Amino acid sequence: MKITLLTIGSHGDVRPYLALAKGLKAAGFEVCLATHEEFRGFISGHGIDFYPVQGNPKAVFESETGQALLGSGTHFLEFIRQFRKAAEADMLGGFDDCLAASQGADAIICPFFVAGVAYQISRVVGCKTILAYLQPTTPTGAFPVIMLPNLYLGGFLNRLSHQLVRLLFWQVFRDAVESWSRDSLAISKPPRLGPLARMEKKSLVLFGYSKYLVPKPYDWPANYQVTGFWQLREGKNYQPPEALVEFLAAGPAPVYIGFGSMYSEDPEAVAELVLAALKSAGQRGVLMSGWGGLSSQNLPKEVHLLESVPHDWLFPRMQGVVHHGGAGTTGTGLMAGVPNLLVPFFGDQPFWGQRVFGMRAGPRPIPRQKLSSEKLSQGIQALGRYQQSAADLGLKLRSEGGVTEAVYLIKKYLGVL
């Protein structure tokens, strides 16, 4: 039985899908993961068949539009507008690539952003759909849409906020999906208000995060399942470079700082801000360059710079971790049982920052637009106050099934148990 996983975006969007793909392959499924060419080596290196989807997320984040997207913060209307501009050039070609990758599939697994396209593809291919969300993006009265993490509007308005943002997001892309359906697929267009509600009613809907961080809302149906984080475990066989081993052994546990795929127009300035914060806090640090290109020509001996390292190996060895708050990094940071300080840029990141703070697993988040060396220093110094609660939460998260639970539910849904 063949399953095609479709996803777009940054490394944080692809990584959990790769973990799920590996679990499905180990369970006996024929698996293909379709995403950007940028990730071909990463995916193929884990033994998963890869299919390229048009688009280069790294180039998008480095562009003027990408910088506007990163700067949208919790302003969801601006986020939707900039997302459309960022995706516009690659949309139709990307749709065709997703269709090609799905030929012969018995099921398509996709996130929120790809669901409208996957719905139309499933009609052509004749396969089932499985929605696999990394965030709680389906309507509920328990909390508002995740881009309004600091508000509680009440049950009716909470649910309405989800529905309105979904409708706005769909209307931005509706014309492209409709023209593609007519010209390339030769089928009728999707529902005018979007296919998500219809898909979520009849499909399996998986949420790849922890119920301890975001409990399943009271008003979600039985086909909505929160499984735990989908973690790609690379640390077990990792051989760290000698310089890193020596640095870790040379003093107290350092603080990790890295912002993943969040590109900065002035990476040197970000690096200097981080170094000043570490010095003021009296802490050793490990800096991750990432797509943001964090670097410094004259690093002090208390700071070590890395280009890449498995987070599941590094994070348990840290005193705390400072990051942008992507769903995957947040999951790995919390599972490590150390305090997390989030510096959210946009999208779902402010939501995860508030959840971490609400669980007392880390200090109050610092929005990227308000980041300063003084605020970062204060946040780093506060990490120690959250050690015990972070350790307790990490123990709970590590007890969850994650990929194993998701694979079991997929097998049950597809009738292969």
Side-chain angles (χ1 to χ4, degrees):
M1 183 171 282
K2 178 182 177 180
I3 297 179
T4 296
L5 297 91
L6 308 174
T7 190
I8 59 171
S10 68
H11 187 87
D13 299 293
V14 174
R15 190 178 183 87
Y17 265 63
L18 177 56
L20 183 57
K22 291 187 69 174
L24 289 167
K25 182 177 180 179
F29 290 99
E30 178 187 351
V31 178
C32 171
L33 177 51
T35 189
H36 310 295
E37 182 68 34
E38 171 89 15
F39 303 109
R40 178 188 289 272
F42 175 52
I43 292 166
S44 299
H46 283 272
I48 298 298
D49 290 343
F50 169 82
Y51 196 95
V53 174
Q54 185 170 317
N56 184 333
K58 185 174 187 292
V60 168
F61 281 137
E62 291 175 354
S63 69
E64 182 179 343
T65 298
Q67 286 298 293
L69 180 64
L70 293 177
S72 61
T74 57
H75 302 290
F76 59 84
L77 290 177
E78 180 65 10
F79 170 81
I80 290 171
R81 189 173 75 88
Q82 295 299 338
F83 189 94
R84 165 71 192 230
K85 289 176 64 177
E88 195 161 20
D90 297 314
M91 270 197 294
L92 294 181
F95 295 173
D96 289 337
D97 292 336
C98 289
L99 173 62
S102 303
Q103 295 301 317
D106 297 285
I108 297 171
I109 298 178
C110 67
F112 173 82
F113 292 133
V114 189
V117 175
Y119 176 78
Q120 295 297 80
I121 291 174
S122 70
R123 294 176 59 198
V124 173
V125 175
C127 66
K128 291 186 175 183
T129 56
I130 298 168
L131 298 169
Y133 297 153
L134 304 180
Q135 305 87 8
T137 54
T138 52
T140 175
F143 47 79
V145 66
I146 60 174
M147 299 187 76
L148 299 173
N150 298 315
L151 295 179
Y152 180 79
L153 305 172
F156 172 75
L157 292 178
N158 282 342
R159 174 173 285 274
L160 183 61
S161 72
H162 289 273
Q163 293 168 337
L164 287 176
V165 170
R166 284 174 147 215
L167 180 61
L168 286 169
F169 188 85
W170 170 247
Q171 294 307 313
V172 168
F173 292 93
R174 180 169 63 88
D175 58 340
V177 177
E178 287 182 352
S179 62
W180 178 67
S181 301
R182 181 188 64 243
D183 300 337
S184 298
L185 304 183
I187 62 173
S188 60
K189 59 189 179 183
R192 186 170 183 81
L193 299 182
L196 266 177
R198 186 176 299 182
M199 295 175 74
E200 288 167 352
K201 185 175 182 179
K202 68 177 184 178
S203 300
L204 174 64
V205 185
L206 301 174
F207 297 88
Y209 55 78
S210 172
K211 64 177 183 255
Y212 295 109
L213 194 59
V214 186
K216 181 178 176 179
Y218 65 92
D219 52 359
W220 279 3
N223 63 312
Y224 291 22
Q225 295 289 330
V226 180
T227 65
F229 286 101
W230 302 332
Q231 292 287 299
L232 187 65
R233 304 185 188 281
E234 298 178 288
K236 184 178 181 181
N237 299 316
Y238 176 67
Q239 295 296 321
E242 185 176 344
L244 175 58
V245 174
E246 291 176 352
F247 176 78
L248 294 176
V255 173
Y256 165 91
I257 302 178
F259 301 131
S261 304
M262 302 298 102
Y263 175 79
S264 172
E265 288 183 309
D266 192 350
E268 274 295 328
V270 175
E272 293 305 325
L273 182 155
V274 168
L275 292 176
L278 286 169
K279 182 177 180 180
S280 176
Q283 291 286 352
R284 301 195 325 140
V286 171
L287 269 60
M288 186 73 76
S289 59
W291 281 1
L294 281 176
S295 64
S296 182
Q297 298 302 315
N298 300 300
L299 284 176
K301 60 182 177 61
E302 295 84 11
V303 177
H304 188 78
L305 183 67
L306 291 172
E307 287 189 9
S308 65
V309 63
H311 286 171
D312 61 318
W313 182 92
L314 183 67
F315 284 2
R317 293 168 168 81
M318 299 291 102
Q319 183 180 140
V321 293
V322 180
H323 56 88
H324 59 296
T329 309
T330 300
T332 307
L334 294 176
M335 290 180 76
V338 299
N340 284 234
L341 170 59
L342 273 60
V343 181
F345 286 62
F346 76 118
D348 62 326
Q349 297 164 10
F351 173 82
W352 294 119
Q354 285 301 319
R355 292 307 304 144
V356 169
F357 179 59
M359 296 295 296
R360 292 197 55 78
R364 186 183 298 275
I366 308 170
R368 174 63 184 92
Q369 297 87 342
K370 298 181 179 180
L371 184 65
S372 67
S373 60
E374 181 181 3
K375 289 183 177 180
L376 182 56
S377 175
Q378 291 171 351
I380 291 172
Q381 292 178 67
L383 288 170
R385 299 202 295 267
Y386 300 89
Q387 288 284 355
Q388 188 58 55
S389 53
D392 293 342
L393 181 60
L395 190 63
K396 292 178 179 178
L397 266 60
R398 292 193 296 274
S399 71
E400 292 182 296
V403 167
T404 302
E405 177 68 11
V407 170
Y408 168 78
L409 292 167
I410 289 169
K411 291 174 69 176
K412 187 177 179 181
Y413 173 67
L414 297 177
V416 295
L417 277 178

